[in-house]
Amino acid sequence: MSRRELADFLRRRREALRPEQVSLPHPADRRGRRTPGLRREEVAALAGMSANYYERLEQARAPRPSPQVLAALGAALRLTGTEREHLARLAGQAPTDGRPTEPAEVPAHARRLLDQLAPIPGYLVDERQDIVAWNAQAAALITDFGRLPARERNVVRLSIRLGGTVCAAPDGAGTEFARQAAAELRAATARHPARPALGELVNEFAAHDPDFAASWREHDVRPRPVLRKLVRHPELGELELDCQTLLIPGSDLRLVIYTADPGSPSAAKLARLA
């Protein structure tokens, strides 16, 4: 159990929740309400627990909460399924993997899927954001992954190295990749607290990207299955693509594919790439 992380998560979710979202009376004078979001006693009342106990949870002084208490807090704070799972892991009520990090095993069926995706570019990433397999179209679209050192074959490190030159966000979507990376790494570190490679990535990206750092502090673990990307190809020019992430059943791997709107100039360029 990580009392400090649990306390910070509860406080962030409480401050993000507004009284009207939980059917509490809206204060007539907002200037008289100094606390962002809900007050501690309001969360305690919604969860059916004493204000003193909830206060101790936010101060990292309470013992491990029971599954029943976590369920009540999840309902009171209007947590999503992903956030409830994250809350349980922080409270030590869900299994974590304390093993040292190891390279992901890529199932044969996942490799076949990558090869059969053509002309769609795709690659597989593990929980450390390492790119562990890819097809020829992905290498032609983004970079030749096989020529990179193993340490640099990582989505976060590539975004630091190539972001703004090869792959960027279109107007209005500037923070979505950073927020997605923060959410995925936050969830991964809760599942695998003994893996130092995850902490290294968090520190590297936080130092590079203030949006990532802000999202990390907010404990945002909500998935973003589709991101809009602007890819600048040396021969084809700019392609505006949807970057979609799909889970590979039975593993910790995720499949990332790049698609274009049907009939768009980007779709025609993607076809030429194949």
Side-chain angles (χ1 to χ4, degrees):
M1 174 179 173
S2 174
R3 285 187 174 87
R4 187 172 299 175
E5 290 289 299
L6 174 64
D8 193 42
F9 179 71
L10 290 173
R11 180 176 60 82
R12 297 279 182 178
R13 294 286 78 78
R14 173 177 61 81
E15 292 178 350
L17 204 56
R18 297 291 176 258
E20 56 269 25
Q21 292 177 272
V22 293
S23 302
L24 289 175
H26 195 287
D29 184 1
R30 296 296 292 182
R31 290 175 297 177
R33 189 181 182 92
R34 297 179 181 179
T35 304
L38 299 186
R39 297 187 177 101
R40 287 174 175 171
E41 57 268 25
E42 290 171 337
V43 173
L46 289 168
M49 62 184 63
S50 73
N52 177 264
Y53 176 68
Y54 181 77
E55 182 177 2
R56 288 165 60 207
L57 281 173
E58 279 205 13
Q59 292 175 344
R61 295 190 298 111
R64 176 184 296 180
S66 68
Q68 293 78 11
V69 167
L70 295 180
L73 287 171
L77 294 169
R78 304 298 193 265
L79 301 185
T80 65
T82 302
E83 288 171 330
R84 289 178 188 233
E85 179 185 350
H86 185 65
L87 174 66
R89 292 188 185 280
L90 293 179
Q93 297 291 356
T96 58
D97 184 355
R99 297 172 300 172
T101 182
E102 296 176 357
E105 292 290 336
V106 181
H109 70 271
R111 290 189 182 276
R112 287 196 300 271
L113 176 61
L114 271 179
D115 293 336
Q116 293 167 1
L117 276 175
I120 298 174
Y123 53 79
L124 293 169
V125 297
D126 63 13
E127 288 200 315
R128 295 171 299 177
Q129 306 292 305
D130 286 342
I131 300 170
V132 296
W134 57 90
N135 61 18
Q137 290 73 32
L141 177 67
I142 302 172
T143 189
D144 186 351
F145 302 111
R147 288 179 173 269
L148 297 176
R151 175 181 169 82
E152 299 302 315
R153 207 176 296 147
N154 177 279
V155 172
V156 171
R157 291 192 173 106
L158 280 176
S159 73
I160 295 174
R161 181 167 169 251
L162 303 178
T165 57
V166 172
C167 195
D171 292 340
T175 67
E176 285 304 294
F177 172 76
R179 298 186 73 84
Q180 182 200 47
E184 292 183 349
L185 286 172
R186 175 67 81 174
T189 53
R191 283 191 292 268
H192 309 290
R195 296 189 174 183
L198 293 172
E200 291 176 11
L201 279 176
V202 170
N203 291 336
E204 285 181 38
F205 207 19
H208 168 76
D209 193 320
D211 291 321
F212 174 89
S215 187
W216 178 265
R217 288 192 299 270
E218 292 168 9
H219 282 262
D220 186 359
V221 292
R222 293 169 296 174
R224 290 167 175 77
V226 181
L227 298 176
R228 200 72 167 176
K229 290 279 191 176
L230 189 66
V231 178
R232 299 183 176 98
H233 193 271
E235 298 175 6
L236 302 178
E238 290 189 347
L239 296 86
E240 191 162 339
L241 305 173
D242 283 330
C243 177
Q244 304 178 59
T245 302
L246 309 170
L247 293 176
I248 299 294
S251 74
D252 290 333
L253 300 176
R254 297 180 307 286
L255 172 65
V256 181
I257 61 174
Y258 289 79
T259 60
D261 293 335
S264 66
S266 294
K269 292 177 181 179
L270 210 54
R272 286 171 55 196
L273 180 70

